[in-house]
Amino acid sequence: MNVITIEDYKSTYWPKLDGAIDQLLTQSPGDYIPISYEQIYSCVYKCVCQQHSEQMYSDLIKKITNHLERVSKELQASPPDLYIERFNLALGQYMGALQSIVPLFIYMNKFYIETKLNRDLKDDLIKLFTEHVAEKHIYSLMPLLLEAQSTPFQVTPSTMANIVKGLYTLRPEWVQMAPTLFSKFIPNILPPALESELSEYAAQDQKLQRELIQNGFMRGDQSRKRAGDELAYNSSSACAGSRGYR
């Protein structure tokens, strides 16, 4: 293998990696990315063998940090009615990018990050999103999520589930900010209910059903009524399955 000087790394190898990372970070689901994964994988391998792991890791962290800071600023400029959807898009896009970025840097992870830093690349990159995006937006995002939870159909269930599960992955202690909301999507995070509390839970479920009726959810054609009946059944079943009692 030819010697790769630091100048070679900066002028030839890192620019290739930089361009590929750009495309992976900004791709949308289903997009075709015109990059050669074999070529990028080979670049990383050669740089690791030529003792450029430390510089490459530093460049990678700096590159992704700058990207996430731009993402955070764009979210800050989002109006409230688009905030949840845009946060969900940013979270999903980033986590999707990691599925490609982490394997491309597997040699650097194995022979530098794990052995010399005693860490893991994926954990480090998830931490970057937590620090540069999620932490900066959690106190704006959570009230909107709670409001959306109390307003049927304001946010799709899949979007709500993606965000709540994502936040839990980033920082499990955020559950304490909205335990009931998180418990709807994360199993077994609340303590078992006491038998004396079951009647209170049943009353809460009945209140939710009355609110849905008042909002016209079960009025009109029979298809909407059946949907309401199914929702009520699923809600009761979920409570029975998740709350239990001591």
Side-chain angles (χ1 to χ4, degrees):
M1 183 183 297
N2 295 330
V3 174
I4 300 174
T5 65
I6 188 63
E7 288 77 17
D8 293 332
Y9 166 81
K10 291 181 177 179
S11 64
T12 303
Y13 288 86
W14 175 249
K16 292 180 181 179
L17 299 176
D18 183 89
I21 294 166
D22 256 337
Q23 293 184 66
L24 292 170
L25 287 173
T26 57
Q27 69 176 329
S28 298
D31 278 359
Y32 169 72
I33 304 298
I35 63 175
S36 169
Y37 287 89
E38 183 178 358
Q39 183 183 55
I40 300 306
Y41 190 82
S42 176
C43 279
V44 173
Y45 173 76
K46 291 176 182 178
C47 290
V48 170
C49 291
Q50 295 285 316
Q51 307 299 313
H52 295 300
S53 295
E54 183 176 358
Q55 183 64 53
M56 185 164 53
Y57 175 73
S58 175
D59 289 339
L60 176 63
I61 295 300
K62 185 183 300 182
K63 170 76 177 177
I64 293 182
T65 297
N66 290 338
H67 168 76
L68 291 175
E69 288 177 347
R70 289 194 299 271
V71 168
S72 181
K73 289 179 180 178
E74 290 172 1
L75 283 173
Q76 287 175 350
S78 298
D81 58 323
L82 298 177
Y83 194 91
I84 292 177
E85 289 292 346
R86 289 183 179 177
F87 185 92
N88 182 54
L89 176 62
L91 176 63
Q93 191 175 51
Y94 184 72
M95 292 303 181
L98 294 193
Q99 293 179 10
S100 296
I101 292 173
V102 172
L104 287 175
F105 287 86
I106 189 172
Y107 273 100
M108 183 183 72
N109 189 45
K110 183 175 182 180
F111 294 104
Y112 176 69
I113 302 174
E114 290 183 352
T115 58
K116 294 190 177 182
L117 304 181
N118 295 315
R119 298 201 302 267
D120 177 78
L121 178 59
K122 183 177 181 180
D123 292 341
D124 283 0
L125 298 185
I126 289 176
K127 184 179 179 182
L128 288 181
F129 189 91
T130 303
E131 293 177 346
H132 295 282
V133 180
E135 281 185 355
K136 294 181 179 180
H137 293 271
I138 188 67
Y139 293 105
S140 299
L141 178 65
M142 195 58 67
L144 293 175
L145 291 176
L146 292 171
E147 179 184 354
Q149 178 198 12
S150 64
T151 307
F153 317 118
Q154 181 174 331
V155 174
T156 64
S158 60
T159 295
M160 186 71 77
N162 288 341
I163 293 178
V164 171
K165 291 177 180 179
L167 292 175
Y168 184 74
T169 298
L170 297 177
R171 186 153 294 174
E173 56 264 35
W174 281 338
V175 168
Q176 303 305 318
M177 298 179 66
T180 301
L181 173 62
F182 277 84
S183 69
K184 293 181 181 297
F185 304 98
I186 312 294
N188 304 319
I189 63 170
L190 294 181
L194 298 174
E195 185 173 5
S196 60
E197 296 174 330
L198 293 180
S199 60
E200 179 182 347
Y201 289 134
Q204 291 176 358
D205 290 338
Q206 292 172 2
K207 180 183 178 183
L208 173 60
Q209 292 173 29
R210 288 195 300 270
E211 289 175 349
L212 289 173
I213 294 172
Q214 290 170 0
N215 283 298
F217 183 74
M218 296 175 64
R219 295 174 185 163
D221 61 28
Q222 290 300 306
S223 63
R224 293 185 68 183
K225 185 178 189 301
R226 286 194 297 272
D229 292 340
E230 183 179 356
L231 179 64
Y233 171 78
N234 289 339
S235 176
S236 299
S237 299
C239 290
S242 63
R243 284 164 181 159
Y245 61 85
R246 297 196 281 254

